[in-house]
Each structure stands twice: as C-alpha cells, then as structure tokens.
Amino acid sequence: MADVRFQSIRKTFGKFHAVNDVDLEVADGDFVVLLGPSGCGKTTLLRCLAGLEKVDGGRVFIGGRDATGLPPRRRKIAMVFQSYAVFPHLKLFDNIAFGLRMQKEPKATIRERVESAANLLHIEDLLDRYPSQISGGQRQRVAVARAIATKADVLLMDEPLSNLDALLRMEMRAELKALLRQLGSTTIYVTHDQVEALSMGDRIAVMNAGSIVQLDSPLVVYDDPADTFVGGFVGTPPMNFLAAEIAPNGSFPLVTLSGGSFPLADPAAGALAGRKLTLGIRAEAIVVEPELGQGLIEATVIVIEPLGSHNLLTVKTGDDLLKVSTPPHLFPQLDSSIWLRLEPGRIRWMDAESGRAIPLAPASAPAPVAG
Amino acid sequence: MSGERGSPVVWLSRFGMYATAVLVSLFVLAPIYLMTLAAFSSQEDVYAYPKELLPRNLSTETMSFFIHFGGVLDALQRSVVVALITLVLSLAIGTPAGYALARFAFRGADTLRLSVVATRAFPIVILSIPLAVIFISWGIDDTAFGVSIAHTALALPFVVLTTSSVFAGVSPELEEAAMTLGCSRLKAFVKVALPLALPGLAASAIFVFIVSWNEVFAASLLTLRHRTLPAEVLSLLEGAPVNFRFAGGFFLMAPSVIVILIIRRYLFTMWGRVLK
C-alpha cells in the first residue's frame, strides 16, 4: 500500500492542454474518484500516474518515491481498463496469473493468488475458459481479479463499469465498493458517472477543462459545490441556478428573482447586497406549498414526472425553469400556479460572473421561516 | 411466399449457395486434377483421345524421368530455400514496420505508407539490369541469397501494409495492460500483440511464400547455373513434350500446397472460439 501525490502535473497534446498544473494528494488506503465530463483530463491524469503517458511538467510520487520517469512496470500499480483489456489468447487463469508470472512468483503462490482473486470476484468456476466464452460482466470481473492478484501498491480504475448495462452496473458498484474496502488498497477511480462517484468514493475530485475544481467528500460536493459547473454536473437532477439580487432588509435580506422576491432568514446574506448573484438550490430543497403565504415564490407547473419514490416537477418562475422534487402523492394541475419555499439553509450563492461559490461567513443556523 | 425454414425461397437460396461453392471449387480443382492425372500418366495416355478422366492407368514413368532429369531436384531445393529466406526476411523487416505504422503517429508516416506502395510502381524489368550489375559486383549473383533479396523487395510492401492493418486491429489497451502488469514495451509486444496478430501474419507468410515461389523473371535474370524451380522448369520445358509440361506444372504446385496447409493452422487461430 502507498500514498500518491501529484505535484503540478501538466500534460498537453499538441495545443490541447489536457491537464493543467494539477496537485492532488491521495492518502494510503484512500479511495479517490476523479469525476468529470469527457475530455476533462481525468483519464489522462490517471494514465500519467500509470506511466502510460509522459508528463510535460510536474512530478508524480508513489509511496513517497519519485515515479515521474519510471516505466509502468516499475511503479507498483495495477490498472483496470475501460475496455477491460482481457487478453483474448489466454485462458482466464493465465490472464489473472499474467502479472504474477511477470514477477516470477513461484508456481504454488501463483495458483493460490489466482484462486483467491477469482474467489473474491466469483469467477472461480470459469478459470479454464477463454475470454470469448464468457459474458461482458464476467470479463469485467477478470479485469479486476487480474489487477488485484498482483497486490500492487495502488489500484487504478478507468471507467471500469461504463461498458456494463445499467442493472449490472448497479450490482457491480456495490460489490466493488465492498471488495475495495476489504482490500484496503489505495484506489484512484475515474468515472464520468456522478452517481458512481457519489456512491463509491471517500473523496471526489471534480475535474473540468484539465483542472481539479473541487476535492471533497461526496456529500460536501453534492451540498456545497465549489461552482456552478460542479453543481450542474453532480446530482440528478442538477442543481437549480437562478439569477438573483439581494437588497439589505435588516435580518431578513430581500432576495429578488425573476419570478418574485422573498425575505431570506439569513442575515449574513445581507453582505452580498448589490452584487450580481446566482442562487443555487437542489430540487429536494424546494418545498411546494398549496397556497400563498409569506416568503413564497409563485411558479407554473410545466411537466410532472412521476418516478415512484418521488415526483419530479419542472416549473417556471419568471424567466427561469426549476426542477422540484415532491412527495409521490403530490400531483398539482398542469399549468396551474403553485408556491415554492426555498429552504434557507440549503440556498447556495455563486458569483454570477465567475460562477464560483461565495461562502457566507458563519454558516447561520437555519432559523424557522417567519410567518 | 414466406421466408420460413424449409420454404422454397430458403431452399432455393441454399441450393444456389452450394451450387456456387461447387462451381468455384471445380473451377480451381478441375485443372489441378487434370494436370495431376496427366503428370502421372504415360505419354500415350496423355495424347490419347477420348480422354480417360479416371485414374485407371497410372504411371510414374514421366514423373520419375522429369525428376531425375538435369537439376530439377536441386532447383526444387533451391526454390524452397529462397522462399524460406524471403519469408524470414520479409516478415522480420516488414512486421516491425507494419507495427510502427499502426501504433505510432510519427512525422512522415503517410509518406512512408505511400512510398511503400510506390516501390511496386517500378516494374522489375526496369530494375533487373542495375540489380544484376550490383549483385555481380557484390558477388551474390547466381546465389539463393541474392534471389531472396530481390524477392524480399517484391514482397515487402505487401507485408508492411497487411501487418499494419493486422496490428491496427489489436487494441493498444491490451499492450498497455501488459505493461502495467510488468512487461516492458518489447515484452508486451511479444506476449500480447504478436500472438494476437498471428492469423494475419500467417496470411502474410503464405503470400510471401507464393510470391517468391512463383517469381520467374528476377530469378532467371539473377541466376545462371543455380536456378530456382520455376526458372529451371521454364528453360527445361521449352519445346518439351506435353506430358513433361504437366509433370513440371504438378511439381511446381505441390510444394506450395503443402506449405499453405502447414501455415493454414495459424490462419484460423481462434482462441476458444468455435469455427462455424
């Protein structure tokens, strides 16, 4: 086991800056997910760690050792590829044993380690088959078994679940998480699937355009996105963003949206008065009230999507469309007016220009809404 | 009409397919059969009319005369040696070149690809005189090695292009996986890319062998006393009776068929896949 440190890693492909001065530290035994849209540099960063790409600047440390110039085979890493990269000309046993044979382990050790890896992945009955004789999901398991059999210091996973169908992916997600916790290995996991990132990682490094824009635990990334990009990328549905302004109004600063205004029970927000702002709020932090009351915003129902566990409404207030999550029994009339209450404790403020989150000084205890 | 199994449409299309297969096979096999038959018949039978189509009256008289005539056996041996040297040289030079074209985006890759094909634009007739002069000054004229160098030049463009497309079909991720599992670049190539490219390389090998085996012009020009089989047969059989020509034809064909049968094993390497 080992820790990993990226020190201002830079990688360009021609004129394209794939990775821009990325710093990242991953503690021994930590599970970090690199999350971002395609082309954000997450896979490139992982390949720089594996030694499959040469960095154009910066250094990579694995277990405190400078690995920047080392070839992949000297880095003590193991990698699971998106295409699985299971060798078609070798039986499963030989696939899993490949790394151990390269390390010149004794035969008995190889057999034992291959079998224990195969047991962990539940493919022990398939070891004398060829990859073409098993399913895609089983091939995925072979790729993981092959990676863990070598007992590498760091486990790298590049979108390992993205080629599986939805149901299998969900099963494998939980299984993989349990397996990795059991192994306790340092893991760096690349995905573009934010559900995978939220559900699996100890920490998530959200990447955009070659940089890490936020590095936090999943719930912090979800609740307190560092900017509008993170809020819009993480979560289903994405965070709602509304253009807003604040006017000072004693301990209840007045928030004005395109669809109306309401007093906010957060005195600290008064400090933002006069700035051009973006208000961010999650769909489930908006409560639908049946009738007009104080501090509510009027909205028109455009679409209702019943999802079983809850209903997802698309509503329009002023110029803005909002996604609102409601209890499953609530079916407001289409095109009718409803009233929304934005939970003050879950409102996030971003600068309208830069999109960056503006932290409010003391995280004010959500006071009960007046009225 | 329905397209169900057993319906007339399906039956007809199946019949058509098999009929075509039979016709194509006959097109290839019938001359081979007739040639073989004639090669193993006596002179009277070859000239006889109407022709006997079944092997009733076989004789090895023509064949054994032909084989023991002049330097036929030596020429056969030389042809095999030339073809094998050509095979080794072409694959040893062409495979790495094909791999490089498939894997690396280097400056001038397209130019190289084009110039590889362009070498075939010069007819061997134009090249042969300067080639003969050079070979004589190097002292490799009239040798098996000299002929195989010329044959390698003929076969190489094809080898480079086919192996490059074969390697393009082997996912680079497989080699990268091998490298993360402890292989150097070279070892990843040998342990992963090479075995996966084997069927394509086998096809290449067959082609190279046949190019060399069939080549007459360069072989005739570059050799005098040590001819390869086609060159030897060509000069021997000018004006020879028909039955000897059949014997020569059979003799030219048989070894290449044997080589194809051997290499064919690799052509259909299907790891764990059932051939349909």
Side-chain angles (χ1 to χ4, degrees):
Chain A
M1 300 296 114
D3 60 328
V4 170
R5 190 153 56 87
F6 293 97
Q7 195 182 301
S8 45
I9 293 298
R10 195 154 38 77
K11 176 74 191 172
T12 54
F13 295 107
K15 281 182 185 151
F16 177 67
H17 292 261
V19 177
N20 285 325
D21 292 314
V22 164
D23 290 293
L24 176 64
E25 281 184 46
V26 180
D28 187 8
D30 213 359
F31 187 154
V32 170
V33 177
L34 301 178
L35 173 69
S38 55
C40 73
K42 54 192 191 306
T43 295
T44 306
L45 188 61
L46 192 76
R47 290 170 59 86
C48 287
L49 175 58
L52 297 170
E53 302 285 355
K54 268 207 181 89
V55 298
D56 293 319
R59 312 217 68 83
V60 181
F61 296 90
I62 300 173
R65 193 168 56 122
D66 187 347
T68 317
L70 295 180
R73 66 182 187 281
R74 302 222 185 289
R75 295 196 176 200
K76 296 189 181 163
I77 49 115
M79 186 157 169
V80 178
F81 290 80
Q82 183 173 6
S83 67
Y84 315 146
V86 172
F87 305 129
H89 60 302
L90 299 178
K91 290 184 173 176
L92 298 204
F93 184 96
D94 302 312
N95 257 286
I96 301 171
F98 193 94
L100 299 166
R101 291 203 174 122
M102 293 308 297
Q103 292 171 1
K104 305 237 159 44
E105 299 283 350
K107 256 194 166 170
T109 315
I110 292 177
R111 173 151 292 280
E112 184 204 335
R113 298 258 288 272
V114 168
E115 276 166 5
S116 90
N119 279 332
L120 281 173
L121 273 306
H122 309 296
I123 47 171
E124 63 272 24
D125 296 333
L126 306 172
L127 288 177
D128 58 350
R129 298 215 192 158
Y130 282 101
S132 59
Q133 296 165 328
I134 61 175
S135 70
Q138 288 166 334
R139 250 173 269 172
Q140 210 278 332
R141 287 166 181 271
V142 177
V144 175
R146 187 177 66 182
I148 64 174
T150 56
K151 306 215 165 148
D153 286 347
V154 186
L155 198 52
L156 314 184
M157 300 198 158
D158 183 10
E159 311 241 8
L161 303 183
S162 63
N163 286 0
L164 301 179
D165 63 58
L167 190 65
L168 202 54
R169 193 182 318 156
M170 205 166 75
E171 273 174 27
M172 199 61 197
R173 201 164 69 204
E175 203 181 317
L176 205 53
K177 185 176 184 178
L179 175 72
L180 292 172
R181 197 179 48 209
Q182 188 186 339
L183 294 170
S185 55
T186 311
T187 308
I188 301 182
Y189 188 107
V190 163
T191 183
H192 66 272
D193 181 344
Q194 42 94 18
V195 179
E196 228 167 274
L198 289 172
S199 62
M200 294 181 77
D202 294 331
R203 288 191 302 159
I204 299 177
V206 187
M207 291 188 70
N208 188 26
S211 303
I212 293 180
V213 284
Q214 186 168 14
L215 174 65
D216 272 310
S217 70
L219 288 185
V220 174
V221 169
Y222 184 82
D223 280 333
D224 280 309
D227 59 16
T228 49
F229 166 78
V230 177
F233 190 73
V234 176
T236 322
M239 192 176 240
N240 293 301
F241 294 110
L242 306 155
E245 277 179 29
I246 292 180
N249 183 24
S251 52
F252 294 96
L254 198 65
V255 176
T256 304
L257 307 171
S258 65
S261 53
F262 64 96
L264 179 65
D266 185 356
L272 304 176
R275 288 174 69 169
K276 282 204 177 288
L277 297 167
T278 299
L279 181 156
I281 189 156
R282 290 281 176 194
E284 70 275 11
I286 304 175
V287 180
V288 175
E289 300 283 357
E291 47 198 88
L292 182 57
Q294 215 182 348
L296 303 183
I297 299 284
E298 187 177 0
T300 315
V301 181
I302 311 259
V303 181
I304 305 175
E305 295 168 78
L307 296 173
S309 61
H310 62 281
N311 290 344
L312 188 62
L313 310 188
T314 306
V315 303
K316 186 167 189 184
T317 169
D319 303 330
D320 296 299
L321 284 178
L322 286 184
K323 297 279 187 193
V324 181
S325 177
T326 69
H329 54 79
L330 193 78
F331 278 96
Q333 282 257 290
L334 280 182
D335 298 323
S336 70
S337 284
I338 55 171
W339 283 270
L340 308 176
R341 183 161 58 78
L342 313 186
E343 280 184 34
R346 299 200 53 191
I347 291 176
R348 300 289 175 261
W349 295 104
M350 279 92 177
D351 185 84
E353 291 265 308
S354 68
R356 294 250 169 71
I358 307 169
L360 287 185
S364 50
V369 181
Chain B
M1 269 193 225
S2 72
E4 274 172 40
R5 182 184 280 266
S7 79
V9 176
V10 172
W11 189 86
L12 258 178
S13 77
R14 271 177 169 243
F15 177 79
M17 191 177 79
Y18 281 107
T20 311
V22 167
L23 279 177
V24 169
S25 305
L26 277 181
F27 178 74
V28 175
L29 292 177
I32 294 181
Y33 172 73
L34 290 175
M35 183 174 71
T36 310
L37 190 63
F40 288 99
S41 300
S42 61
Q43 188 157 3
E44 303 85 70
D45 284 348
V46 170
Y47 283 111
Y49 190 86
K51 233 174 212 17
E52 181 70 70
L53 285 181
L54 293 175
R56 292 234 177 92
N57 192 15
L58 288 183
S59 120
T60 54
E61 182 195 330
T62 312
M63 207 62 202
S64 77
F65 182 81
F66 175 77
I67 287 174
H68 295 109
F69 183 84
V72 169
L73 275 183
D74 285 344
L76 168 71
Q77 196 196 349
R78 209 169 296 119
S79 252
V80 171
V81 170
V82 166
L84 288 180
I85 295 178
T86 306
L87 188 72
V88 170
L89 281 181
S90 316
L91 287 184
I93 301 169
T95 307
Y99 182 80
L101 277 177
R103 275 288 183 277
F104 307 110
F106 53 91
R107 199 181 286 267
D110 285 333
T111 317
L112 179 66
R113 205 183 294 268
L114 194 68
S115 57
V116 158
V117 186
T119 55
R120 290 311 304 261
F122 299 98
I124 186 85
V125 185
I126 298 177
L127 297 176
S128 51
I129 302 296
L131 208 57
V133 172
I134 293 174
F135 276 27
I136 289 169
S137 73
W138 286 358
I140 54 171
D141 60 305
D142 208 10
T143 64
F145 181 67
V147 178
S148 20
I149 289 183
H151 286 179
T152 301
L154 290 177
L156 208 48
F158 175 84
V159 173
V160 172
L161 294 184
T162 46
T163 53
S164 103
S165 70
V166 166
F167 283 119
V170 176
S171 161
E173 276 199 349
L174 290 173
E175 281 173 276
E176 287 175 354
M179 278 156 69
T180 63
L181 288 166
C183 286
S184 62
R185 216 173 198 308
L186 182 68
K187 205 154 198 179
F189 171 78
V190 172
K191 292 204 136 212
V192 177
L194 206 55
L196 288 172
L198 205 56
L201 297 184
S204 251
I206 289 181
F207 183 84
V208 170
F209 189 89
I210 296 202
V211 162
S212 168
W213 187 265
N214 285 348
E215 206 287 323
V216 186
F217 192 86
S220 308
L221 237 132
L222 297 173
T223 59
L224 197 58
R225 275 165 300 160
H226 301 101
R227 296 236 138 129
T228 57
L229 189 62
E232 179 79 15
V233 167
L234 200 70
S235 65
L236 271 185
L237 294 183
E238 266 175 326
V242 172
N243 54 328
F244 288 110
R245 295 189 183 190
F246 280 126
F250 175 79
F251 211 69
L252 276 174
M253 177 198 70
S256 60
V257 169
I258 292 169
V259 168
I260 290 173
L261 284 179
I262 293 170
I263 300 183
R264 184 182 168 277
R265 204 157 68 83
Y266 300 99
L267 199 57
F268 296 107
T269 314
M270 296 278 165
W271 296 277
R273 236 163 293 176
V274 183
L275 281 177
K276 280 182 190 157

